[in-house]
Amino acid sequence: MTTTASEASAARSSRLVDHLAGELARAGVTHLFGVGGANIEDLYDAVHRGGAVRGVVAKHEFSAVTMADGYARTTGRLGVVVATSGGGAMNLVPGLAEAYASRVPVLALVGQPPTGQEGQGAFQDSSGKAGSFDAREVFAPVSRFCAWVHDADSFPELLRRAVAAAQAEPRGPAVLLLPKDVQQAAIHLPARGPAPESAAASASAPRLDSVAVDAVDAVVDALRDARRVLVVAGEGVAADGARAELAELVRRLGAWVAVTPDAKDVFDNHDPRFAGVAGVMGHANVEECLRRADLCLLAGTRLPLLARGGLDRALAGTDVVSLGPEAPFVAATVLGGNLRDALRAVTVRLPSRPRPCPPHSGPRPSPTPGPPGGARERTVPLARAVAAVEAALPEDAHVFVDAGNAGAAAIHRLPAPRHGRFVVATGMGGMGYTFGAGIGAALATGRRTYVLAGDGAFFMHGMEVHTAVEYDAPVTFVIFNNNAHGMCALREEHLQGGVRDDDLFVPADIAAGVAAAFPSLRATGAVDAAHLRTALLRGNAGGGPAFVAVTCDPYEIPPFLPFQSFTTNLEEKEISDERGVVHVG
């Protein structure tokens, strides 16, 4: 194909937003998520004109960030979120905080008023001039890189640095603040260089620490000396695409494998080596295996409190080694650097003949006590509801689990699909995360994606159902409606004497409301577990979104370690405590 002189000139000079849209496409970005506004509309226009990246309009900027987050967690690519100035920009902060805490690579492109209006009383001015606050000081604590783009010529280098920072260890958000006039400005480009490095490409290069040789030797020596090993695998295994490397190391060690609550999908939950979930929503078998182990190997997890609650005493009596880019929260021999490379470096030094896995009792679910006085009429126990989800869940589906009683039950009882993600936002634990994240994952991958959330999470960000309908996203929303903020209600009942009921709500028929609002959406109010399963299977069979709500009891005690004492206090009103296990806010 021949390029004319005029075409070549046009290729070297274009609007900044046109260049940006093209660079995102070259980096492998297929979708960007956001909410429109005057100071970001030019980017949406450029994306529309370019055609290679699909611009998705969310209902709220928090959910737009979580869409980018879900996109990144399921594809391994950079997630991109856009927002306008003012309140739109500020609404990004909690979502970026989750991505920061959970090490998710997200690029936030934030519109700002024109530069000539800075410090002149501009609407939504956050330049830091003339008494306005400085947006950089807001975003810097929740980003790996934050910069104000003052002119078009500086943009290519700032974009390169932002993308690199988001994808480098520790991964996380990068923020570029883009005044409207700079977005519209002509940008003059040199000859086209290589595309911004993608996460997949960068992961292929060896990235062990410079002192890794000694660390590898120390880890290998410890593993060779250990007869029984418990591996605790975390979200880093998924983020680094290291499932195969983990499985091979486990095979050679004959190890038991536990997973952290946010990493249930990194090891086959049906494998005989699978010990269960570690921590406050986990299985007693993990502690049993840890007490029997000569060594505990952490892979891709720093073992935060949610993942080690109830295990500290056993950990104190066990040697620990850790593989991954960040040091753990417990004392350990550490092999830093890229997790995938670390797993390979250790595995190749171990005998290739597999060891047999010692017997263990497996991830048996904890008994579920009923609420005091028996279950309320027309409610479905969480265990039965989760079993119905398990019976309907496709093996290649993605699952996004929200915060709360239903989330704890799902983490404890629901096996991860064999070929899909099982995502829990444990970084900030914000309610309502899953609605956007599930949509982002579904649009990115085209796979059926399940969102499991309580009514409290739905009332925060559940109107993103509208976004799923608009874009025909294959998301099944499952709402466990206990007409309460259930964990808060249980704390009020058992820790504060049951003297108030602030977190118990007037009953709401969520399915009927959603059905009325969105006539094209398959919305069902399930009356029992069998009805729930049938509705889920019907949703699997169709394209686009589906919605099912099931009523649960607010006083049912979930499999959550800080609430364990409640099961022995059901007949008493005295104030209990959390048994010193772990405090979860």
Side-chain angles (χ1 to χ4, degrees), residues 218-219 222-223 295-299 319-323 328 331-335:
V219 169
L223 290 172
L295 184 141
C296 177
L297 186 150
L298 308 181
D319 290 335
V320 179
V321 298
S322 173
L323 309 186
T333 299
V334 177
L335 173 55

Side-chain angles (χ1 to χ4, degrees), residues 247 250-251 254-258 267 270-276 354-355 357 360:
V250 168
R251 186 187 73 87
W256 302 303
V257 182
F267 191 80
H270 301 282
D271 190 292
R273 302 175 184 86
F274 183 62
R355 290 188 200 171
C357 178
H360 64 114

